[in-house]
Amino acid sequence: MSQIKTEVESANAAYAGSFDKGDLALPPARGFLILTCMDARLDPAKYAGLAEGDAHVVRNAGGRASDDAIRSMVISHKLLGTREWFVIHHTDCGMLFFDDDTMGNLLAGSLETAELTDEGFRNASEPGGSPEGHFIKWHCIKEQEQSVVEDVQRIRAHPLVNPAIPIYGYVYDVKTGKLIEVEAATDAGQPVL
Ligand SMILES: [Zn+2]
C-alpha cells in the first residue's frame, strides 16, 4: 500500500478518536471567507486563526478569482451567509514562474513533473504529452500585488456578488508568516452602498 495513504488513514484515525466537533452548524460561525493559494506552505487555519466551523476557505493554484472560485464565493454568501471576504495571495508563488504559453508547451512535451530551474520550469525529457494545455487559461501571476488587486476588482464587479460585502486583499509572506495588506486591493473591495 502507498506510504502516504497509510499515513493519512492513520492520522485520521487519531483525529477521529478524539473528535468532538460533531455538532457544528453548516453555515460558518464567524461569517467570513478566505480565497487563497493551494501552496503547501500556507495553512489558513493557522495564519488566520480558524477552528473547524469558523469560516469558508476556497483554495486553488494562486488563490485566483477564477469562475469556479467565484461560484464557491457566491454560494458562500447567498446560501451560507458569509459577509466579509479575504483574497490572500503569497510571496514565492509558483504561479509567478510560468505563463500560459510555457504551460501549454510543457504539457505538449510531457505529462511528467517538470523541474523548476533558474530559467523557469523545464521538462527533463519530452516523449510527447497533449496539446490540450494550450486551450486552458491557467491564471498565472505576473506581479504579485497587482494580481491581488485584479482579483478583488473582478470579484467586486461580478454581477452575482452582493455589493455590500467588503473584500480585503493581502499577500502572505512565506518567509515570515505575516499577512501584508494590499491597500489598493482593499480599497477596490470596499462595499458599494
Ligand atoms: Zn501559490
Side-chain angles (χ1 to χ4, degrees), residues 76-114:
S76 173
H77 170 73
K78 180 66 185 175
L79 302 182
L80 296 166
T82 59
R83 297 174 304 279
E84 296 180 71
W85 292 352
F86 294 74
V87 174
I88 303 177
H89 295 181
H90 67 99
T91 59
D92 199 39
C93 186
M95 301 297 279
L96 287 157
F97 305 135
F98 66 100
D99 58 22
D100 281 0
D101 269 353
T102 303
M103 186 59 160
N105 290 335
L106 285 169
L107 287 164
S110 168
L111 299 184
E112 296 295 331
T113 300

